[in-house]
Amino acid sequence: MTRAYRGHLMHIGGNPELADVRDWLVSEPDGVVVVDDTGRITYSGAYADRPGDDAETVDFRPAFLLPGFVDTHIHFPQTYCTDAYGGGRLLDWLARCVFPAEAKLADPAYAQQAARDFCRRRISVGTTTALVFGSAFPHAQDALFSESIRTGLRTISGRGIQTVGPPSAGPLLTDETTAISLAVAEIDRWHGADTGDPATAFVHAAVVPRFALSVTAQTLHALGEVYDSVRDRGVYFHTHLNENVDEVAAVHETYGVRTYLDTYDGRFGGGSTPAGKTLLGPRSVLAHAVHCTADELARMAETATSIAHCPTSQLFLGSGVMPWRSTVRSRVNVSLGTDVSAGDEWLMPRVLNDCFKVHMSEPGDHAVALHPAELLFTATLAGARALDLEARIGNLDVGKEADFVVVDPHHQELLAETLAQIENGDRDRLLFTLLMGMRDDAVVQVYVKGRKLG
Ligand code: GUN
Ligand code: ZN
């Protein structure tokens, strides 16, 4: 049955580069998205120009319809770990707060509860698609994928692989042979599991070493072989890169590489000599990338690897600021990640709010006031691009699967009144105030492929 959803449409149409997105910002104050019974958008635009009139119309006015948010870096086993006290910066925080918290998912009942809460929380903030850093425990990953399918979310995830680490990481470690066989088993079980075809599926698998310091050169070699054998099936690669200066120094010291990226690029032999297959590519997403060299950025751009930018997390852990101008100038695709739980905001626009502020605060000529279209792009279409899903999701164009979030400013104290002050309904000002100002309460309904969630 065809349905029409009426409201103020705002999205980045087409498939522009970041530099052009302000020209592709669509704002249709009395707009409608028409969705067929397969969940695809058959019309998107002005209500007055809609075709025919046989669709059942759901009138959301005066609410906004935005594309579903795409979170390209979030940790499932850290569902209950936001604002953990006493952690310090990255390596201490991991050892003191995060590894013990993630170890609790060894209990299947706890893992099941975490999966339920994780998916429910995602729906409450309109994160329809996420690249999810997984648990070390296969039963927890089974719970995550099952719950994601049950609730109708789109989830890409892989078991967090750790073969070495400090004492508190003990419960999360396996030997290398086990790590490889668990990764392969997870891919075979869950990649495209809901429809049987990754091209139409809502769930996909990823190869996810925690970071270079959680594995060894031998593990990276074996993961390179595995990834090379499953790349063509559309499997993803996900990890952390260049987040914190102590972490970067430790990677250099441990591997003797010229750059951190080399460890993921098959060049983990001493002096960055080639020693295995690369893990980079169009479905590879590296979180943070705060302290990259120009060569690392160029190599990511060349291989179509994306960066998951996580400014809220970088503030919490004091990791530094990813230099916006030089990063995007390299033409690497930059999407957004909450990085829950180092990031303590689940709602992607809250992360956009930090994104705007940290880049406005970069020193001297590096400061940049991001355009609202750039913000919206980073949280939606750039994420779809990072996940190689741009043909299916990321905006409200005709032909896309209908993932959208209904944002009603009347559900949030003073938001509607603030928007009403904007003269002549100025498009850019409206979008900026909406993205910077909205909180969870304003998210009133969430749809994935035309199905209402929750
Ligand atoms: N680096 C390795 N593991 C983690 C993690 O869990 N969170 C963050 N922010 N960085 C990491
Ligand atoms: Zn992370």
Side-chain angles (χ1 to χ4, degrees):
M1 149 97 167
T2 300
R3 284 215 161 77
Y5 302 93
R6 188 172 179 184
H8 186 153
L9 311 186
M10 278 194 153
H11 67 112
I12 307 298
N15 56 353
E17 295 299 318
L18 176 72
D20 303 323
V21 293
R22 59 191 78 183
D23 300 331
W24 290 83
L25 172 58
V26 176
S27 175
E28 197 61 65
D30 185 7
V32 67
V33 173
V34 180
V35 181
D36 70 13
D37 54 9
T38 72
R40 281 191 185 70
I41 298 174
T42 57
Y43 173 81
S44 174
Y47 183 76
D49 299 335
R50 73 196 182 285
D53 215 5
D54 50 355
E56 180 188 313
T57 301
V58 185
D59 192 350
F60 287 122
R61 288 177 302 162
F64 293 84
L65 268 56
L66 303 180
F69 298 120
V70 182
D71 184 345
T72 54
H73 185 60
I74 181 166
H75 292 257
F76 157 52
Q78 297 173 22
T79 298
Y80 306 119
C81 227
T82 49
D83 296 314
Y85 177 67
R89 289 199 170 162
L90 177 65
L91 299 177
D92 290 333
W93 171 79
L94 286 173
R96 290 177 190 152
C97 301
V98 167
F99 295 154
E102 294 198 3
K104 291 187 186 171
L105 279 81
D107 173 359
Y110 184 88
Q112 183 66 50
Q113 182 193 330
R116 267 199 306 270
D117 288 343
F118 179 82
C119 291
R120 205 188 61 240
R121 188 72 180 107
R122 274 183 55 192
I123 295 169
S124 74
V125 290
T127 297
T128 50
T129 301
L131 176 54
V132 180
F133 217 97
S135 166
F137 303 107
H139 61 258
Q141 287 298 98
D142 292 346
L144 171 68
F145 281 120
S146 302
E147 187 63 7
S148 179
I149 292 170
R150 191 185 73 74
T151 54
L153 290 164
R154 300 183 195 264
T155 295
I156 300 162
S157 187
R159 172 182 181 273
I161 298 169
Q162 295 179 247
T163 55
V164 289
S168 65
L172 309 175
L173 305 186
T174 68
D175 60 44
E176 184 187 306
T177 313
T178 307
I180 300 305
S181 63
L182 289 177
V184 170
E186 183 174 34
I187 293 165
D188 289 343
R189 174 154 191 204
W190 289 112
H191 189 58
D194 54 317
T195 63
D197 178 3
T200 56
F202 280 16
V203 295
H204 299 91
V207 172
V208 184
R210 179 163 217 126
F211 61 165
L213 296 177
S214 294
V215 292
T216 65
Q218 289 75 13
T219 322
L220 286 171
H221 183 275
L223 290 177
E225 296 297 318
V226 169
Y227 193 56
D228 200 54
S229 70
V230 294
R231 209 183 250 284
D232 289 351
R233 288 163 58 192
V235 173
Y236 293 80
F237 174 74
H238 189 38
T239 189
H240 298 92
L241 173 79
N242 282 332
E243 176 176 3
N244 162 289
V245 287
D246 293 336
E247 169 212 20
V248 177
V251 169
H252 280 262
E253 190 180 323
T254 306
Y255 287 90
V257 284
R258 278 202 296 269
T259 71
Y260 190 159
L261 187 71
D262 285 335
T263 63
Y264 305 138
D265 198 14
R267 298 178 163 273
F268 45 78
S272 293
T273 47
K277 299 211 164 75
T278 187
L279 294 158
L280 307 183
R283 281 177 298 283
S284 298
V285 180
L286 305 181
H288 299 290
V290 174
H291 308 284
C292 288
T293 65
D295 284 351
E296 287 177 300
L297 292 172
R299 178 67 181 147
M300 282 188 269
E302 179 192 7
T303 55
T305 298
S306 290
I307 291 172
H309 178 35
C310 308
T312 306
S313 160
Q314 285 144 20
L315 286 168
F316 182 74
L317 290 180
S319 301
V321 176
M322 185 195 82
W324 182 268
R325 285 187 197 278
S326 56
T327 304
V328 303
R329 205 182 307 123
S330 75
R331 304 183 71 85
V332 63
N333 180 50
V334 176
S335 56
L336 201 72
T338 58
D339 196 19
V340 162
S341 66
D344 60 349
E345 294 285 358
W346 290 75
L347 180 72
M348 291 282 276
R350 293 305 296 153
V351 182
L352 290 177
N353 179 297
D354 285 335
C355 186
F356 182 83
K357 290 172 183 169
V358 299
H359 298 301
M360 190 61 147
S361 303
E362 289 195 58
D365 291 349
H366 300 284
V368 51
L370 292 171
H371 190 279
E374 294 175 323
L375 295 174
L376 181 60
F377 173 75
T378 307
T380 57
L381 196 59
R385 189 169 297 170
L387 302 179
D388 199 24
L389 290 173
E390 202 174 354
R392 296 175 63 190
I393 59 165
N395 62 21
L396 304 178
D397 281 353
V398 168
K400 295 271 177 120
E401 298 175 21
D403 291 11
F404 61 91
V405 180
V406 182
V407 180
D408 191 341
H410 292 274
H411 282 244
Q412 182 181 320
E413 194 59 46
L414 227 54
L415 182 58
E417 292 82 347
T418 306
L419 291 168
Q421 295 301 316
I422 295 171
E423 285 170 17
N424 307 318
D426 183 310
R427 180 193 81 162
D428 294 353
R429 287 173 205 271
L430 270 179
L431 181 60
F432 187 72
T433 300
L434 187 67
L435 291 178
M436 293 294 283
M438 70 175 277
R439 304 289 196 276
D440 303 17
D441 284 352
V443 176
V444 293
Q445 288 194 24
V446 180
Y447 287 75
V448 172
K449 207 177 178 188
R451 173 184 164 194
K452 181 170 177 271
L453 307 192

Tab-separated table of all heavy atoms in Angstrom, residues 185-218:
chain	number	residue	atom	x	y	z
A	185	ALA	N	33.326	-17.256	11.339
A	185	ALA	CA	32.008	-17.815	11.687
A	185	ALA	C	30.958	-16.702	11.757
A	185	ALA	O	29.813	-16.886	11.319
A	185	ALA	CB	32.099	-18.533	13.039
A	186	GLU	N	31.349	-15.550	12.277
A	186	GLU	CA	30.393	-14.437	12.385
A	186	GLU	C	29.980	-13.951	10.989
A	186	GLU	O	28.804	-13.693	10.731
A	186	GLU	CB	31.010	-13.292	13.182
A	186	GLU	CG	30.044	-12.132	13.396
A	186	GLU	CD	30.618	-11.048	14.307
A	186	GLU	OE1	31.850	-10.822	14.265
A	186	GLU	OE2	29.844	-10.439	15.047
A	187	ILE	N	30.951	-13.845	10.105
A	187	ILE	CA	30.637	-13.416	8.731
A	187	ILE	C	29.684	-14.422	8.091
A	187	ILE	O	28.670	-14.057	7.488
A	187	ILE	CB	31.938	-13.286	7.906
A	187	ILE	CG1	32.791	-12.137	8.450
A	187	ILE	CG2	31.615	-13.089	6.422
A	187	ILE	CD1	34.233	-12.146	7.972
A	188	ASP	N	30.001	-15.703	8.235
A	188	ASP	CA	29.163	-16.727	7.592
A	188	ASP	C	27.751	-16.745	8.167
A	188	ASP	O	26.784	-16.995	7.460
A	188	ASP	CB	29.812	-18.110	7.733
A	188	ASP	CG	31.054	-18.222	6.851
A	188	ASP	OD1	31.200	-17.383	5.929
A	188	ASP	OD2	31.879	-19.125	7.092
A	189	ARG	N	27.646	-16.451	9.454
A	189	ARG	CA	26.322	-16.513	10.081
A	189	ARG	C	25.497	-15.257	9.831
A	189	ARG	O	24.277	-15.342	9.626
A	189	ARG	CB	26.496	-16.733	11.583
A	189	ARG	CG	25.186	-16.670	12.321
A	189	ARG	CD	25.169	-17.456	13.601
A	189	ARG	NE	23.803	-17.538	14.091
A	189	ARG	CZ	23.459	-17.739	15.340
A	189	ARG	NH1	24.413	-17.955	16.230
A	189	ARG	NH2	22.203	-17.777	15.702
A	190	TRP	N	26.123	-14.086	9.868
A	190	TRP	CA	25.321	-12.856	9.934
A	190	TRP	C	25.390	-11.949	8.718
A	190	TRP	O	24.544	-11.069	8.561
A	190	TRP	CB	25.714	-12.045	11.187
A	190	TRP	CG	25.232	-12.714	12.441
A	190	TRP	CD1	25.988	-13.292	13.410
A	190	TRP	CD2	23.859	-12.893	12.843
A	190	TRP	NE1	25.193	-13.823	14.400
A	190	TRP	CE2	23.875	-13.578	14.066
A	190	TRP	CE3	22.624	-12.544	12.281
A	190	TRP	CZ2	22.710	-13.923	14.745
A	190	TRP	CZ3	21.465	-12.880	12.957
A	190	TRP	CH2	21.519	-13.562	14.173
A	191	HIS	N	26.370	-12.109	7.849
A	191	HIS	CA	26.476	-11.173	6.724
A	191	HIS	C	25.300	-11.383	5.763
A	191	HIS	O	25.203	-12.417	5.104
A	191	HIS	CB	27.809	-11.360	6.004
A	191	HIS	CG	28.078	-10.287	4.987
A	191	HIS	ND1	28.118	-8.944	5.295
A	191	HIS	CD2	28.273	-10.357	3.643
A	191	HIS	CE1	28.346	-8.240	4.211
A	191	HIS	NE2	28.440	-9.065	3.191
A	192	GLY	N	24.402	-10.418	5.721
A	192	GLY	CA	23.212	-10.520	4.858
A	192	GLY	C	22.184	-11.507	5.367
A	192	GLY	O	21.316	-11.952	4.606
A	193	ALA	N	22.239	-11.830	6.664
A	193	ALA	CA	21.430	-12.935	7.190
A	193	ALA	C	19.927	-12.704	7.094
A	193	ALA	O	19.164	-13.654	6.934
A	193	ALA	CB	21.802	-13.197	8.646
A	194	ASP	N	19.469	-11.466	7.204
A	194	ASP	CA	18.019	-11.239	7.264
A	194	ASP	C	17.322	-11.510	5.939
A	194	ASP	O	16.184	-11.985	5.920
A	194	ASP	CB	17.702	-9.819	7.770
A	194	ASP	CG	18.396	-8.737	6.961
A	194	ASP	OD1	19.592	-8.902	6.640
A	194	ASP	OD2	17.758	-7.721	6.648
A	195	THR	N	17.978	-11.218	4.811
A	195	THR	CA	17.327	-11.492	3.516
A	195	THR	C	18.047	-12.589	2.743
A	195	THR	O	17.557	-13.059	1.720
A	195	THR	CB	17.317	-10.234	2.620
A	195	THR	OG1	18.688	-9.884	2.328
A	195	THR	CG2	16.622	-9.061	3.280
A	196	GLY	N	19.243	-12.947	3.190
A	196	GLY	CA	20.038	-13.933	2.456
A	196	GLY	C	20.856	-13.300	1.340
A	196	GLY	O	21.597	-13.991	0.633
A	197	ASP	N	20.744	-11.975	1.178
A	197	ASP	CA	21.460	-11.293	0.102
A	197	ASP	C	21.982	-9.944	0.629
A	197	ASP	O	21.179	-9.059	0.952
A	197	ASP	CB	20.504	-11.059	-1.071
A	197	ASP	CG	21.177	-10.303	-2.210
A	197	ASP	OD1	22.395	-10.011	-2.115
A	197	ASP	OD2	20.467	-9.992	-3.187
A	198	PRO	N	23.307	-9.782	0.730
A	198	PRO	CA	23.838	-8.522	1.263
A	198	PRO	C	23.326	-7.280	0.526
A	198	PRO	O	23.246	-6.192	1.110
A	198	PRO	CB	25.362	-8.676	1.090
A	198	PRO	CG	25.594	-10.148	1.055
A	198	PRO	CD	24.365	-10.742	0.408
A	199	ALA	N	22.937	-7.438	-0.740
A	199	ALA	CA	22.484	-6.275	-1.508
A	199	ALA	C	21.149	-5.734	-1.020
A	199	ALA	O	20.821	-4.570	-1.264
A	199	ALA	CB	22.386	-6.641	-2.985
A	200	THR	N	20.370	-6.582	-0.350
A	200	THR	CA	19.066	-6.133	0.152
A	200	THR	C	18.990	-6.171	1.676
A	200	THR	O	18.005	-5.729	2.261
A	200	THR	CB	17.937	-7.036	-0.395
A	200	THR	OG1	18.239	-8.400	-0.042
A	200	THR	CG2	17.811	-6.915	-1.900
A	201	ALA	N	20.034	-6.695	2.315
A	201	ALA	CA	19.976	-6.965	3.757
A	201	ALA	C	20.042	-5.699	4.603
A	201	ALA	O	20.510	-4.651	4.151
A	201	ALA	CB	21.112	-7.899	4.139
A	202	PHE	N	19.584	-5.828	5.849
A	202	PHE	CA	19.721	-4.780	6.877
A	202	PHE	C	20.895	-5.071	7.798
A	202	PHE	O	21.285	-4.205	8.573
A	202	PHE	CB	18.456	-4.699	7.734
A	202	PHE	CG	17.309	-3.954	7.123
A	202	PHE	CD1	17.253	-3.660	5.774
A	202	PHE	CD2	16.258	-3.535	7.926
A	202	PHE	CE1	16.189	-2.972	5.229
A	202	PHE	CE2	15.180	-2.847	7.399
A	202	PHE	CZ	15.141	-2.564	6.049
A	203	VAL	N	21.398	-6.309	7.804
A	203	VAL	CA	22.544	-6.617	8.672
A	203	VAL	C	23.721	-7.101	7.829
A	203	VAL	O	23.548	-7.859	6.864
A	203	VAL	CB	22.219	-7.655	9.782
A	203	VAL	CG1	21.206	-7.104	10.763
A	203	VAL	CG2	21.798	-8.988	9.215
A	204	HIS	N	24.892	-6.626	8.210
A	204	HIS	CA	26.125	-6.983	7.514
A	204	HIS	C	27.231	-7.196	8.544
A	204	HIS	O	27.195	-6.620	9.632
A	204	HIS	CB	26.546	-5.861	6.554
A	204	HIS	CG	25.546	-5.582	5.484
A	204	HIS	ND1	24.549	-4.647	5.628
A	204	HIS	CD2	25.380	-6.123	4.253
A	204	HIS	CE1	23.813	-4.624	4.523
A	204	HIS	NE2	24.294	-5.507	3.675
A	205	ALA	N	28.222	-7.964	8.133
A	205	ALA	CA	29.322	-8.268	9.054
A	205	ALA	C	30.562	-7.442	8.715
A	205	ALA	O	30.745	-6.988	7.580
A	205	ALA	CB	29.665	-9.754	8.977
A	206	ALA	N	31.383	-7.264	9.744
A	206	ALA	CA	32.635	-6.516	9.587
A	206	ALA	C	33.763	-7.252	10.297
A	206	ALA	O	33.530	-7.992	11.256
A	206	ALA	CB	32.474	-5.117	10.190
A	207	VAL	N	34.980	-7.022	9.814
A	207	VAL	CA	36.186	-7.494	10.494
A	207	VAL	C	36.666	-6.329	11.364
A	207	VAL	O	36.920	-5.237	10.849
A	207	VAL	CB	37.260	-7.912	9.460
A	207	VAL	CG1	38.582	-8.212	10.148
A	207	VAL	CG2	36.768	-9.106	8.647
A	208	VAL	N	36.776	-6.561	12.675
A	208	VAL	CA	36.954	-5.433	13.608
A	208	VAL	C	38.048	-5.700	14.657
A	208	VAL	O	37.746	-6.050	15.805
A	208	VAL	CB	35.604	-5.120	14.317
A	208	VAL	CG1	35.749	-3.889	15.223
A	208	VAL	CG2	34.492	-4.901	13.316
A	209	PRO	N	39.312	-5.544	14.288
A	209	PRO	CA	40.328	-5.543	15.339
A	209	PRO	C	40.158	-4.258	16.154
A	209	PRO	O	39.904	-3.198	15.577
A	209	PRO	CB	41.650	-5.526	14.559
A	209	PRO	CG	41.306	-4.946	13.227
A	209	PRO	CD	39.865	-5.287	12.947
A	210	ARG	N	40.295	-4.334	17.472
A	210	ARG	CA	39.997	-3.145	18.299
A	210	ARG	C	40.863	-1.962	17.868
A	210	ARG	O	40.351	-0.885	17.611
A	210	ARG	CB	40.242	-3.467	19.762
A	210	ARG	CG	39.988	-2.309	20.618
A	210	ARG	CD	39.810	-2.641	22.079
A	210	ARG	NE	38.810	-1.750	22.565
A	210	ARG	CZ	37.695	-2.071	23.200
A	210	ARG	NH1	37.452	-3.315	23.496
A	210	ARG	NH2	36.833	-1.149	23.551
A	211	PHE	N	42.149	-2.143	17.819
A	211	PHE	CA	43.107	-1.198	17.226
A	211	PHE	C	44.436	-1.922	17.137
A	211	PHE	O	44.558	-3.065	17.599
A	211	PHE	CB	43.172	0.147	17.944
A	211	PHE	CG	43.593	0.195	19.395
A	211	PHE	CD1	43.965	1.417	19.964
A	211	PHE	CD2	43.619	-0.925	20.206
A	211	PHE	CE1	44.347	1.510	21.292
A	211	PHE	CE2	43.997	-0.841	21.539
A	211	PHE	CZ	44.357	0.363	22.076
A	212	ALA	N	45.415	-1.276	16.539
A	212	ALA	CA	46.680	-1.977	16.283
A	212	ALA	C	47.301	-2.507	17.570
A	212	ALA	O	47.984	-3.541	17.556
A	212	ALA	CB	47.649	-1.040	15.554
A	213	LEU	N	47.039	-1.808	18.695
A	213	LEU	CA	47.656	-2.225	19.962
A	213	LEU	C	46.954	-3.425	20.590
A	213	LEU	O	47.460	-3.981	21.562
A	213	LEU	CB	47.647	-1.059	20.956
A	213	LEU	CG	48.487	0.158	20.555
A	213	LEU	CD1	48.338	1.276	21.592
A	213	LEU	CD2	49.965	-0.220	20.392
A	214	SER	N	45.804	-3.833	20.073
A	214	SER	CA	45.088	-4.994	20.617
A	214	SER	C	45.432	-6.277	19.898
A	214	SER	O	44.883	-7.337	20.234
A	214	SER	CB	43.584	-4.789	20.510
A	214	SER	OG	43.188	-3.759	21.325
A	215	VAL	N	46.228	-6.155	18.850
A	215	VAL	CA	46.572	-7.338	18.052
A	215	VAL	C	48.076	-7.327	17.785
A	215	VAL	O	48.785	-6.420	18.209
A	215	VAL	CB	45.766	-7.370	16.722
A	215	VAL	CG1	44.286	-7.618	16.985
A	215	VAL	CG2	45.958	-6.082	15.930
A	216	THR	N	48.533	-8.333	17.069
A	216	THR	CA	49.953	-8.433	16.742
A	216	THR	C	50.124	-8.426	15.222
A	216	THR	O	49.136	-8.535	14.481
A	216	THR	CB	50.542	-9.751	17.270
A	216	THR	OG1	49.888	-10.815	16.557
A	216	THR	CG2	50.317	-9.918	18.768
A	217	ALA	N	51.374	-8.324	14.801
A	217	ALA	CA	51.642	-8.383	13.355
A	217	ALA	C	51.106	-9.698	12.773
A	217	ALA	O	50.552	-9.713	11.665
A	217	ALA	CB	53.146	-8.246	13.107
A	218	GLN	N	51.220	-10.788	13.540
A	218	GLN	CA	50.702	-12.072	13.058
A	218	GLN	C	49.182	-12.010	12.887
A	218	GLN	O	48.635	-12.506	11.893
A	218	GLN	CB	51.044	-13.206	14.041
A	218	GLN	CG	52.510	-13.591	14.091
A	218	GLN	CD	53.372	-12.550	14.850
A	218	GLN	OE1	52.880	-11.664	15.536
A	218	GLN	NE2	54.676	-12.654	14.691
